[in-house]
Amino acid sequence: RRCATSMANVEAADQRAQIRSLCALVRDVVDEALEVKRAREMATENGDGASMRHTGSLALLQLKEANRRMWELVANFKDRTSRAHADVDASDLKLQNLQYEKNHFLREIRQCRDFKSADRDIELVGEEDFAIHAPAELRAIAREDDAHQFYLNRLEFELQQRKALCDSKQQRLNKREQLKLQLERHRASADGQPAKLSSSISLSVATQLLLQQPCTRQWTEQRKLQLLPPMLRALFVRAATYRETSAPELQLSIVGDETLAASMTSGADAKRSLVCSPAPPSSKRQRSKAAASSEMEAEAEVEAEVEAAEEETDESAAPPMHPLVVRVVLPRALLTLASEPAEFAAVASVTLQFCCATAEDVLGVDANGLTEGNLVHLLDSQPAHACSNSLASTLWPFVPHSWVQALGQRLSMRELSSSAKAGAALRRFGDMVTAVGQRVKASEALAVQLRLLQSGQTAPPDFVPPLAEPPAPPVSAPSAWRELGAKEELSAAEKAALPERPSWALAGQRIFRAEVRRGAARLAVTVQLLADFPRSPPHFSLRWVARPHASFTCGPSLPPALAKLAHPAAWRIAREHAADSVDNVLLHMNNELNHTRDEQAEAGGLPEYALLAAMRRLCYLLDVHIETDGSDAATICGAVCPRKTRGRDRRKPFKFDAVARTFYQRQLGTA
């Protein structure tokens, strides 16, 4: 069939070519006849007209023959096409039938897979366990002999197992009820034991003193604990819990005038004894009923009545501050978080003292071994506890920070029943110790950095992990590093350069001024350190004191060839107004120090040395700016500097790749 079709196509092509040639011949004959007619030549005088007539007639006959043959071929093609269409229609019909059968089979398969019988929901014992633990009469028939009976035997064994488990469950429930009743009887008997123990202890104290036997720490602390106000008592309990569970070396004590504290709490203790001592039940049945009542509601009512009794005491006669103070001594071994040389460990221990203002029930803290700013935002970034000026002056030198109030927060009975809230409350003191250790470490590290910066050095100490920096040290160096005093104020431009922060976030901040110099270039630096450094990184603001020489001669980053094209008067005007224009390079350097974090901005594994690392990075930035200003430097501080970017996207190559030891331009939108 394919061969016949190809031969018919070849014949049709030949006929088309013959028709085209005949048509061209007829056109030529007609053109010649027209030319003869125009020349008015007679056919008798010239035989060309007769020959042309004969030639045209013959061509017309051949054209008719070719046309007739073409129509025959067209009819043949139409016949074959109709037969091919019939074959395609038959094949399509067969395909539709097969598709219908396929869909029918797939639907049946899906229905079979989705079918679930009632027996399939039952989880039976495995066949291996059935063969081991099932009775002999049920194991007599194997799956190969009778699969249906084997399955029924497995169902019977499963039923026996579940009945046995239900019986065992009922027995355990009955035993549980018996134990619960027994526990209630024991609890009713144990309710009267604390009073007996208290009286026994009181009677034995005189004998212990007579025999000169020392009292235990728990007895001494428990006796003083009753004299503390509620918030100090809660703080002491958290500290004692942390000492017993995590830090035995922690020193905890209660100091102050115990006689005055006892006189302040005597009235509240008397009312508490009246409220907290119920009448003894008359019989065992009554004791069991009292023990089975709702303990949560009863304890909540007792706590509310105790608080009301404490509030009814004569507050006018009480002093503004409670006479007892909780003292916590944190030794160096408890505060050290990482190994460092002994010469940098300036603090041997930190002593924290907590007091309470009796009028408003507010806690205050004072530290020996830390500055006042080191306690600001210790556990969070929230403002200090809001209190009046008179209360703040009364508490001085104790400061009512917000995190101190959280340490003395008392939990209700509902919150104590929640293990998550109770665990978080008990962990607060441990979080405070960890935060104090971090502040001590940061304070010592900051003292080391300030000494190095005052001497004009930016190289980190030997115990600090090396930074990702070029092979050669920077040529630029800091100078005139000093801290602003309490009476010094920043200029309007320096204040505008600092980020906007709420007033409470600026408590305990420190401001430093310095210059970074290289040759005639001088760059003024203002550094802001918040109290929670290094949690809040240092903020830098830069200002030119003396620009590099290249910036005045040929403009910032302008090749000398282009600088020659400008008129001298235009350059003079540009120099006069250069101070009023925005220095994009200076903004770029500010962004690199304050917002971009890469290998040079991080102080390895010790973030406390981020200030020194940032100042060293600033020295490298100034070197890169000076050496690439107006020219393309091949190397900077021993590192290659290929500047491939041209045009408007060209920036200073401030990014350093420690692996390739190359300075390159940071892409826009990347950190």
Side-chain angles (χ1 to χ4, degrees):
R1 183 180 295 178
R2 292 182 180 177
C3 183
T5 304
S6 61
M7 291 178 63
N9 292 334
V10 171
E11 185 178 359
D14 294 340
Q15 292 296 327
R16 287 194 299 272
Q18 185 179 2
I19 289 173
R20 292 191 188 95
S21 63
L22 290 174
C23 290
L25 179 59
V26 171
R27 283 193 297 270
D28 295 340
V29 172
V30 173
D31 293 338
E32 292 180 3
L34 290 175
E35 292 177 1
V36 171
K37 185 176 181 179
R38 292 189 189 97
R40 295 181 179 179
E41 294 181 354
M42 299 302 293
T44 56
E45 295 178 0
N46 192 350
D48 293 338
S51 61
M52 285 187 293
R53 187 168 55 251
H54 290 299
T55 302
S57 300
L58 182 59
L60 288 174
L61 291 176
Q62 292 178 353
L63 182 59
K64 288 181 179 180
E65 182 182 0
N67 187 32
R68 183 172 57 255
R69 183 56 183 166
M70 179 62 70
W71 281 108
E72 290 176 356
L73 290 174
V74 169
N76 190 13
F77 281 140
K78 288 183 178 181
D79 185 37
R80 285 202 300 270
T81 302
S82 62
R83 290 197 300 271
H85 283 173
D87 294 341
V88 171
D89 292 340
S91 300
D92 185 65
L93 182 59
K94 292 180 181 179
L95 180 61
Q96 294 295 332
N97 293 335
L98 292 175
Q99 187 68 28
Y100 175 77
E101 294 179 1
K102 175 186 175 183
N103 293 336
H104 174 71
F105 290 145
L106 291 177
R107 188 163 52 251
E108 293 295 331
I109 292 172
R110 192 180 303 111
Q111 290 178 358
C112 293
R113 289 179 176 175
D114 294 341
F115 175 76
K116 292 183 179 179
S117 65
D119 296 340
R120 184 167 297 184
D121 296 336
I122 301 176
E123 296 182 2
L124 301 179
V125 178
E127 293 187 6
E128 296 181 356
D129 295 339
F130 175 77
I132 297 174
H133 303 291
E137 60 273 10
L138 297 179
R139 290 187 282 110
I141 299 177
R143 176 188 290 274
E144 294 78 8
D145 300 336
D146 190 350
H148 180 66
Q149 187 61 37
F150 178 75
Y151 187 71
L152 293 178
N153 292 343
R154 289 184 63 190
L155 288 175
E156 181 64 25
F157 179 68
E158 183 70 24
L159 180 60
Q160 295 177 4
Q161 290 284 332
R162 296 195 179 191
K163 286 182 178 180
L165 290 176
C166 289
D167 295 340
S168 176
K169 177 183 177 181
Q170 189 61 35
Q171 293 176 3
R172 293 176 184 271
L173 289 176
N174 296 335
K175 187 176 180 180
R176 177 186 175 184
E177 294 297 330
Q178 295 176 1
L179 292 175
K180 186 181 294 185
L181 294 175
Q182 185 178 2
L183 181 61
E184 290 178 357
R185 291 194 297 269
H186 289 313
R187 183 180 298 171
S189 175
D191 287 341
Q193 297 300 324
K196 296 180 181 179
L197 290 176
S198 179
S199 61
S200 300
I201 292 173
S202 301
L203 293 175
S204 62
V205 169
T207 305
Q208 187 176 3
L209 295 177
L210 181 62
L211 297 177
Q212 297 181 354
Q213 295 292 328
C215 299
T216 61
R217 184 175 63 182
Q218 288 79 5
W219 164 255
T220 305
E221 291 180 351
Q222 187 67 25
R223 184 174 58 87
K224 293 183 179 181
L225 186 62
Q226 304 301 325
L227 305 177
L228 293 177
M231 291 192 69
L232 271 183
R233 192 182 310 147
L235 187 147
F236 186 89
V237 169
R238 288 190 175 96
T241 304
Y242 179 76
R243 179 191 60 188
E244 299 298 332
T245 56
S246 302
E249 63 273 16
L250 184 141
Q251 302 176 19
L252 181 64
S253 60
I254 301 174
V255 296
D257 191 348
E258 298 183 16
T259 305
L260 180 58
S263 63
M264 290 174 60
T265 57
S266 59
D269 290 339
K271 293 184 179 181
R272 185 186 298 109
S273 63
L274 293 176
V275 172
C276 296
S277 57
S282 58
S283 62
K284 294 184 177 180
R285 181 176 299 178
Q286 293 179 355
R287 287 197 298 267
S288 61
K289 289 182 179 180
S293 61
S294 176
E295 298 180 359
M296 301 290 291
E297 297 180 359
E299 292 180 358
E301 292 177 359
V302 169
E303 184 178 357
E305 293 178 0
V306 169
E307 292 180 357
E310 292 177 351
E311 292 178 356
E312 290 176 0
T313 55
D314 189 6
E315 296 181 355
S316 60
M321 288 183 57
H322 198 273
L324 294 184
V325 175
V326 175
R327 179 180 295 170
V328 179
V329 179
L330 306 175
R332 179 73 192 185
L334 187 61
L335 297 176
T336 302
L337 302 178
S339 59
E340 55 186 17
E343 59 268 17
F344 296 106
V347 179
S349 63
V350 175
T351 302
L352 299 177
Q353 296 190 115
F354 301 91
C355 73
C356 180
T358 56
E360 300 187 19
D361 206 13
V362 175
L363 295 183
V365 62
D366 183 28
N368 183 15
L370 287 177
T371 61
E372 179 184 354
N374 287 333
L375 296 179
V376 179
H377 309 157
L378 187 63
L379 295 179
D380 49 24
S381 299
Q382 299 299 321
H385 181 73
C387 61
S388 60
N389 294 332
S390 60
L391 179 60
S393 60
T394 301
L395 286 174
W396 183 257
F398 296 89
V399 182
H401 295 291
S402 59
W403 58 269
V404 185
Q405 317 309 318
L407 288 179
Q409 182 182 4
R410 291 173 293 175
L411 298 179
S412 62
M413 300 303 299
R414 186 181 300 275
E415 291 174 338
L416 284 175
S417 61
S418 175
S419 59
K421 293 184 178 180
L426 292 176
R427 287 192 298 269
R428 285 177 187 169
F429 195 86
D431 297 339
M432 183 271 295
V433 174
T434 304
V436 169
Q438 293 174 351
R439 288 293 174 88
V440 169
K441 185 179 179 182
S443 178
E444 295 174 351
L446 183 60
V448 174
Q449 296 175 82
L450 295 180
R451 287 198 299 268
L452 293 175
L453 291 174
Q454 287 174 358
S455 61
Q457 302 179 22
T458 58
D462 296 336
F463 60 87
V464 177
L467 305 177
E469 58 184 24
V475 180
S476 303
S479 62
W481 180 276
R482 69 183 184 89
E483 183 177 3
L484 268 67
K487 298 183 180 180
E488 294 184 86
E489 293 186 359
L490 296 174
S491 62
E494 291 174 333
K495 291 181 179 179
L498 296 178
E500 295 184 1
R501 304 179 189 270
S503 57
W504 56 262
L506 300 178
Q509 70 168 347
R510 303 175 68 179
I511 304 295
F512 299 90
R513 280 178 179 169
E515 286 188 2
V516 179
R517 300 184 179 185
R518 175 173 173 171
R522 296 170 58 192
L523 184 63
V525 186
T526 303
V527 185
Q528 180 189 37
L529 282 182
L530 299 182
D532 57 350
F533 173 81
R535 183 170 59 187
S536 294
H539 184 273
F540 290 79
S541 58
L542 309 178
R543 178 177 54 86
W544 287 115
V545 177
R547 295 175 180 266
H549 180 67
S551 298
F552 291 105
T553 56
C554 61
S557 302
L558 189 65
L562 294 179
K564 295 178 181 179
L565 301 178
H567 196 276
W571 279 117
R572 184 173 63 255
I573 295 175
R575 294 192 199 96
E576 292 176 357
H577 297 279
D580 300 334
S581 62
V582 177
D583 194 338
N584 293 328
V585 175
L586 198 63
L587 294 178
H588 194 182
M589 296 171 68
N590 264 308
N591 183 69
E592 287 286 328
L593 291 175
N594 296 324
H595 304 292
T596 304
R597 306 177 66 87
D598 55 11
E599 294 83 357
Q600 283 183 285
E602 296 293 341
L606 296 178
E608 296 82 8
Y609 290 86
L611 175 62
L612 193 65
M615 285 298 299
R616 189 170 182 85
R617 175 165 170 74
L618 178 58
C619 294
Y620 278 115
L621 293 180
L622 183 59
D623 291 342
V624 172
H625 170 56
I626 292 177
E627 296 190 20
T628 59
D629 196 10
S631 63
D632 290 339
T635 57
I636 300 175
C637 299
V640 182
C641 182
R643 306 190 68 183
K644 301 180 181 179
T645 306
R646 303 292 177 183
R648 297 177 60 184
D649 296 335
R650 185 180 177 93
R651 302 286 188 278
K652 289 290 184 178
F654 288 148
K655 174 70 176 178
F656 177 71
D657 188 355
V659 179
R661 293 188 175 184
T662 304
F663 280 103
Y664 63 92
Q665 172 182 324
R666 190 183 302 277
Q667 298 296 327
L668 296 178
T670 60

